[in-house]
Amino acid sequence: MTQKRSAGLLLFRTAPADEGIEVLLGHMGGPYWEHKDDGGWAIPKGEYEADEAPLDAARREFTEEIGLPPPEGPYLPLGELRIPGGKLVTIWAVRADLDPALMVPGTFTMEWPPHSGRTQEFPELDRVAWFTPPVAETKLIPSQIPFLERLLGLPRG
């Protein structure tokens, strides 16, 4: 069995009134996440195959999920984590500003309702928003919080 891998980009910017930083998170799309706010947001990321470089995959997945080109670097490596389920996730932070209203989400198809034989299309992320780190920590799915903590531990400059 091949190791499942996922890569993504965590955008950050200076918060208004220069009060630290904010990070851009995406609310997961589809019916399972529709009514979940806290713990229902994620770093834009996606799976890739072993023959694709992780940073290339992170940039590609950003475009697929957000519908906009990835910001230019520099990309700050936040390392990798094995999340529940065994997938290996690699994330880079990048300083950039993005207007959430410009997002054009990618979509996925699934059978819905379950066992109905009908398929429906849903956005991979149904919205994106900027959050201060304390709020982001409540919004993020728990397995991704260490990436936020790693970003906060990077030297500012």
Side-chain angles (χ1 to χ4, degrees):
M1 186 172 120
T2 310
Q3 168 71 56
K4 285 195 172 195
R5 297 176 178 276
S6 192
L9 300 177
L10 178 58
L11 272 59
F12 68 98
R13 68 180 185 185
T14 302
D18 197 26
E19 297 176 11
I21 65 167
E22 292 179 319
V23 294
L24 185 77
L25 302 178
H27 185 265
M28 292 185 280
Y32 297 119
W33 300 99
E34 188 175 7
H35 300 291
K36 187 166 179 65
D37 189 46
D38 288 354
W41 294 73
I43 298 167
K45 63 170 188 49
E47 289 187 8
Y48 66 97
E49 300 298 325
D51 62 349
E52 185 176 16
L55 183 55
D56 292 343
R59 291 173 47 84
R60 175 184 52 74
E61 284 292 336
F62 183 88
T63 300
E64 287 180 14
E65 294 209 351
I66 306 289
L68 299 170
E72 293 304 314
Y75 295 101
L76 310 171
L78 298 180
E80 59 185 27
L81 285 175
R82 189 168 311 281
I83 61 171
K87 186 185 295 182
L88 199 59
V89 178
T90 308
I91 300 294
W92 284 265
V94 58
R95 181 181 293 274
D97 202 350
L98 178 146
D99 180 352
L102 299 177
M103 179 182 130
V104 181
T107 60
F108 68 95
T109 303
M110 67 181 274
E111 182 181 13
W112 191 259
H115 313 294
S116 66
R118 295 188 1 234
T119 57
Q120 291 189 47
E121 198 169 274
F122 297 97
E124 291 194 39
L125 299 174
D126 56 24
R127 62 192 181 278
V128 295
W130 290 99
F131 296 104
T132 61
V135 176
E137 193 168 351
T138 68
K139 301 292 183 191
L140 266 172
I141 58 173
S143 64
Q144 293 184 5
I145 291 172
F147 291 117
L148 176 63
E149 293 168 343
R150 291 174 184 179
L151 171 63
L152 296 174
L154 292 177
R156 300 271 183 265

